[in-house]
Amino acid sequence: MKYLPTLLLIVTLNVFSQQTKDSTKVYKKRVLQSTEIDLLSSFYAQDGDNAAVTGGIGSENLKDIALDITIAIPLNDDDVFTFDGIISDYTSASSSNLNPFTGASNGGDDDDYEDDDDYRRPSYQGKSAASSGSTSSGPIKGTPWQASSGASQTDVWASGSLAYSHSSDNRNTTSSAHLSFANEFDYSSFGFGGSLSKQFNKKNTEVGLTANIYLDTWRPQYPTEIHTYVNTNGNLNAGFFNGVDILDQNGNVINKNSLTAWKPVNNTLVIDKGRNTYSASLSFSQILSKNLQVSLFADVIMQKGWLSNPMQRIYFKNRPNFYIGEASDIPYYTDPNKNNGVFQLADDIERLPDNRLKTPIGMRLHYYINEFLVFKTYYRYYFDDWGINSHTLNVEIPIKVSDKFTLYPSYRYYTQTAAKYFYNYEEALSSYDFYTSDFDLSKYNANQFGFGIKYTDIFTKRKIWKFGFKNMSLNYAHYKRNTGLYANIINLGAKFVMK
């Protein structure tokens, strides 16, 4: 019995300790307090005169409306599940000119197309151009400066992703994983990856590592004339070309059976329909003082597979030119105001190496001037083995004008060198191995001016069904390149929290 007090003391301390742990677990702050829904709608419009689908000249007019919905659901104190879905509907003059020809009874604008790529990839089913065998019911016309009236003008792109993240009890370690899928008519992408971040030094220091893999698949589509030539084995009297006159540089109708008649330089189209991307990113963030925070990052991105866009035309300066349409417009082919009815037949499609190594490195610096004003800067240097070197500088100054309203003026400057495979319209030679007239790979600089306003309801007093309204934002930006491309972007976003 003399050990009973000691035993009771041990049991009591153990129970108290367990209760303390349980209490800590019960009252541990959740990573995400409740389900949140983010809605973002955007409108994008651009124009310019350097469309890649038409060989580096032509209308770049494009309009895009997109909706993005993100739902974050707390599974417990430590884990969060997130769904993100995007749908984008756009109209593109460049895309429509994958088949620019109108006037054929079963060709031209009866063909079906769709799009993709950095500013969309136009796609072509080619059902009539390759197999209709019809004759024209009127003059065949086309021009790179106007949108074709076919179905290729519009397309819908959609993507979705699922993500899971876990935070440690002390919130110093966070790990996450994700799956994603995107699709449109001629292209699909499947991706997966994960990240790990660790905080040290009383949460003043953070190190992060991210890795992603994207496995993409082409359903390749081609310009009408090249698609038809390959599918008819070079017969210029079959398919789309049946009954259609081809003109030389002087506007004369050529003999389609002659040895000097038009034909593409290369009949080999897409061989490898895969395009895979592997990326890894390392980041470091440090709070230097109560007002100053700096972040550094470095990425390595490797791409392999068919990296060219099979919809983009190339014109060589050492090859004769051939056209379809109005002979009187040929002398004014590159004039957007005078060429209303003639289109030049492509010499080839864009061809680029089957691998590319990209390396961006950069830093962010945030300085908190006071509770009303923050100075945010971002700089990135980028280089790759295609010869592009670029610099990006972004400045944003959030200004808190009241408890609920914040203004976001911003400025972004970008400049890059040209890829070693870039050639302007009719600058490349047919003897080259690789060539592109995509001005995204040209030398240029760009300026973007933006302004935004955000309304925040800290206590989410306003409700829609079971969700409290947390914030709303409206942003506008004007983008302009020295090549002539310009764009306007409007974003409207809102966040709701389940109550």
Side-chain angles (χ1 to χ4, degrees), residues 278-351:
Y278 312 91
S279 67
S281 177
L282 180 64
S283 62
F284 172 82
S285 178
Q286 177 67 49
I287 298 176
L288 300 176
S289 70
K290 65 179 183 179
N291 300 97
L292 183 62
Q293 179 182 14
V294 64
S295 301
L296 306 173
F297 68 87
D299 299 346
V300 176
I301 304 164
M302 171 62 76
Q303 291 184 296
K304 289 183 175 293
W306 192 272
L307 305 185
S308 308
N309 187 333
M311 284 67 83
Q312 297 181 172
R313 292 175 173 88
I314 289 292
Y315 298 103
F316 297 120
K317 69 178 180 180
N318 63 327
R319 300 276 296 183
N321 297 338
F322 296 93
Y323 305 84
I324 288 178
E326 299 286 351
S328 59
D329 285 349
I330 291 177
Y332 313 106
Y333 187 76
T334 60
D335 190 331
N337 299 313
K338 294 183 178 181
N339 177 9
N340 298 310
V342 71
F343 194 91
Q344 184 176 348
L345 300 181
D347 291 324
D348 199 2
I349 59 172
E350 173 186 84
R351 298 187 186 273

Side-chain angles (χ1 to χ4, degrees), residues 364-421:
R364 293 180 176 87
L365 190 147
H366 293 177
Y367 185 74
Y368 300 84
I369 299 173
N370 53 46
E371 61 179 313
F372 304 105
L373 191 63
V374 181
F375 184 72
K376 295 183 177 182
T377 62
Y378 167 88
Y379 170 76
R380 187 191 76 162
Y381 172 67
Y382 164 94
F383 62 95
D384 63 30
D385 57 359
W386 285 8
I388 293 180
N389 292 268
S390 73
H391 301 270
T392 305
L393 176 64
N394 190 83
V395 178
E396 182 180 84
I397 307 176
I399 305 170
K400 190 174 182 180
V401 295
S402 71
D403 290 340
K404 294 185 176 181
F405 288 95
T406 305
L407 305 180
Y408 293 89
S410 64
Y411 170 73
R412 179 181 182 270
Y413 176 76
Y414 177 84
T415 183
Q416 73 171 37
T417 60
K420 52 190 173 184
Y421 312 115

